Amino acid sequence: MLNSHNTGFNNSHSVCMSKGKEWRFLGMNAWTLGFMLWSVVMNFMMVAAYWDRLSPLQKSYKWFFVKTFHVSGFDPLTYNVVTDWGMGFYNIHRHPLLAEMMYPAYLLNKVLTDLTGVNCVQIVVAIILIASSTMAFSFLFRILRDIVGVKSLDAGILSIMNFSFAYVMLASIVPDHFIISMTALLFVLLVSGRKMRKGVTLNIWQTILLFVLTAGISLNNGLKVYIASLFTNGKKIFRPLYLASAVILPAGLLWLFTQFQYEQFVYPDWIAHKKMKERIEKKEDNKAFLKMAENMDVKDTAILNAKKKELLEKRKTERMRKAKSTVAAQHTGRPIKKGEFWNWTDITTSRSDAIVHNLFGESILLHKNYLLEDVLKSRPVIVKYHSWLLYIPGAIIAILFLAGIIAGRKDRFMWTVVSFFALDMMLHLGIGFGINEIYIMSAHWAFVFPITISYLLKNFQGRQLVILRTTLIMLTCFFLVYNTELLLSSVYE
């Protein structure tokens, strides 16, 4: 399967380019143009919903967006970066170059803000989201049509289905990094898939550029570039020159650069914040002690010092209790061990419940109960649908996903796509990384479902094809209507 001289598919899997003329406008086909218009409308409605609250200028934006913008567990940190650029907003070890990528957007927003007198960050970020979503749609469409080889109609249906999934739809209109990650990952698949079909390999510079792009946005996704390279290049990836220059060197340099940024820009700010917090707490403790001493009417210094020590211990214990209660309220399971990365792991949350209610549930179809609430605040980790009928669409997607894998089991590109999904599941379901809100990460892996399902469409003919295509259209329409209605009802409540 990994032999670089074997394309991994027979004539039935050859590249299927659409015959006849295809209607295009500004380089986009009708499917992509229609999606872009839909994306503009959805982003306009999100901007309009928060415009009155987010556009007025503020003295400080540090906690403003986090306190004001609430859509599930998405973090509006991009609003902070584009409004008041800095490296400390994103977790720099997880998103090494994302702040730098947002710097041009910050400059644009600064110009618009100076010209208009209001913060135009929502509009600037919406432009990024619309552009990213449209490119992601176009990349997925081309993968389905040109690499898998389905008809343009089926490629269009499946591409729309991808964006009808609840948390892919949300990722395309909220100020987070997930839709940008999806665009980068689909671009990696498009490039590597074309290489496979042509029977050529990813060269060193292509691998480096794809890795920097993908890992710079989200570090763990950079591993997927190496997976794509493994399936595209086969054993050639283990040649000393390629392994050293395309894998080890860029990964090592990116990590060193990340550490440099952390030590020079992030850590000093963290220390300053910690010291400021300690000064505030000390001031509050002294104030509490003075108030207590006035009521005691005691002059003995030894007694006062003992009482002060007792008061400080009591206040310290109370702060620790509140911190623990906050963590408990966030519905996080027990991590594997303590540490910056390990704190995100979880070994106690039920994997079966997470798969049924979140992976093939909330990711695809929103729950009406606790609608778009944050699991770190008020939403339980596991939420059940109010009707058993709502489990059927997710079950159908799961069945079609597995059937698609079987249908495309001889195709090397299909296994590349599934390996992307397997890596995510190893992280989320294996070590429990972010399992308490696995649906938030849907944009990283949900596109795997339509790609694998496309192999069924590729292999079906006649009545079977009509039934499957009709089923997909009905599911897509249901997802679009159901999720859009709930989304808008929540945002405009």
Side-chain angles (χ1 to χ4, degrees), residues 39-40 42-56 61 64-65 68-71 76 78-80 82-83 105 108-110 112-113 116 118-130 172-175 491-492:
S39 181
V40 169
M42 292 296 289
N43 275 276
F44 172 80
M45 288 191 287
M46 179 60 76
V47 169
Y50 280 91
W51 181 256
D52 290 341
R53 287 171 281 178
L54 299 184
S55 61
Y61 287 97
F64 173 70
F65 294 115
T68 308
F69 184 91
H70 300 289
V71 177
T78 300
Y79 283 162
N80 286 93
V82 175
T83 297
L108 174 60
N109 185 59
K110 183 175 175 59
L112 293 176
T113 299
T116 62
V118 297
N119 191 354
C120 298
V121 64
Q122 284 184 273
I123 296 174
V124 174
V125 173
I127 293 171
I128 296 173
L129 295 174
I130 292 167
S172 68
I173 60 175
V174 297
V491 172
Y492 282 95

Side-chain angles (χ1 to χ4, degrees), residues 99-114:
E100 285 89 344
M101 293 178 184
M102 290 295 169
Y103 190 71
Y106 158 72
L107 295 178
L108 174 60
N109 185 59
K110 183 175 175 59
V111 171
L112 293 176
T113 299
D114 291 341

Side-chain angles (χ1 to χ4, degrees), residues 9-22:
F9 63 97
N10 53 34
N11 292 334
S12 65
H13 286 281
S14 61
V15 178
C16 179
M17 303 298 291
S18 298
K19 296 180 179 179
K21 293 183 177 180
E22 185 180 68

Side-chain angles (χ1 to χ4, degrees), residues 40 110 185 260 292 294 416:
V40 169
K110 183 175 175 59
L185 291 171
F260 169 78
M292 182 186 72
E294 289 177 0
T416 307

